[in-house]
Amino acid sequence: MADLDFDAQVQESDPAAAFLQKEKGALAELDDDDLAFSGGAAEPAHDAFAMPSETAEEPQSNDLYSAIQVADNFATEPESVRKWRADQLTLLAEKDAEAEQERQQWIEQAKQDLGDWEARQAEQLEKTKSDNRSAEEAFIRERDEDTPGSEWERVARFCDFNPKNSKNTKDSARMRSILLHLKQTPLVR
């Protein structure tokens, strides 16, 4: 009863509000009818910008008119838009094929480069191993040789007697001069 009094008051005071109230009631009735027809589930709004392939081609569950709606969408879409869509689909398919082909080429190139790098790396490793072995054999030969009178020669090999190369090290001029003096005039025992 209170609703009727409110409706009467709205109609008397503002005709625009009365019109809106009446339309709101009519829309509520339409919403109720739509829910009853679709089995109680609300239908999603139709996307006018969706691709035709994204819309349902076959009727869904209880909706008997979805096939008609799809056909209606095709009929309302201009021929130029359909042609543009078809052209875009073929263009995208071509670009995807080219991108896949380029990707395969990159993969093959990467495999080849990786194989080349591994071969160079193995070759370099073998060369380094052989150089290290020969250097180790030479070091062992020099270390183990017991030629009398060559002791100072062995000591001199381990000392750096070039004063220009030792700028970043401690001053070892006195030690160098002592070693040279001992080399030239050995100790007498």
Side-chain angles (χ1 to χ4, degrees), residues 57-87:
E57 294 289 334
E58 299 175 5
Q60 298 174 352
S61 64
N62 294 336
D63 191 4
L64 301 175
Y65 294 105
S66 64
I68 296 172
Q69 184 180 9
V70 169
D72 192 31
N73 286 342
F74 283 126
T76 58
E77 190 174 72
E79 180 65 28
S80 60
V81 173
R82 274 185 267 169
K83 183 181 177 192
W84 176 82
R85 259 182 221 203
D87 292 343

Side-chain angles (χ1 to χ4, degrees), residues 1 3 15 17 27-28 42 51 91 115 119 140 144 149 153 156 181-182 185:
M1 187 72 168
D3 290 337
L27 286 175
M51 298 275 295
L91 181 66
I140 289 173
D144 293 342
E153 297 295 326
H181 179 69
L182 285 174
T185 57

Side-chain angles (χ1 to χ4, degrees), residues 6-20:
F6 178 72
D7 288 339
Q9 290 173 357
V10 167
Q11 288 178 357
E12 291 173 3
S13 64
D14 187 15
F19 174 76
L20 288 175

Side-chain angles (χ1 to χ4, degrees), residues 77-144:
E77 190 174 72
E79 180 65 28
S80 60
V81 173
R82 274 185 267 169
K83 183 181 177 192
W84 176 82
R85 259 182 221 203
D87 292 343
Q88 288 300 317
L89 287 175
T90 57
L91 181 66
L92 288 175
E94 289 173 4
K95 284 186 177 184
D96 287 344
E98 289 174 6
E100 184 62 28
Q101 183 181 10
E102 187 175 335
R103 182 177 169 271
Q104 291 300 327
Q105 288 175 350
W106 278 104
I107 289 172
E108 291 300 318
Q109 181 67 31
K111 285 179 182 177
Q112 183 181 3
D113 289 347
L114 183 61
D116 293 345
W117 179 82
E118 288 173 347
R120 282 193 313 268
Q121 194 70 11
E123 181 182 326
Q124 183 68 29
L125 182 65
E126 288 301 318
K127 182 181 176 201
T128 303
K129 283 181 181 180
S130 67
D131 289 347
N132 286 345
R133 283 187 193 115
S134 63
E136 182 182 10
E137 290 171 0
F139 173 75
I140 289 173
R141 246 185 322 201
E142 289 175 9
R143 181 192 67 187
D144 293 342

Side-chain angles (χ1 to χ4, degrees), residues 164-179:
K164 293 182 180 178
N165 289 339
S166 60
K167 289 184 179 180
N168 294 333
T169 60
K170 290 183 178 180
D171 184 23
S172 58
R174 182 159 185 230
M175 180 68 168
R176 201 172 23 249
S177 66
I178 292 173
L179 286 174

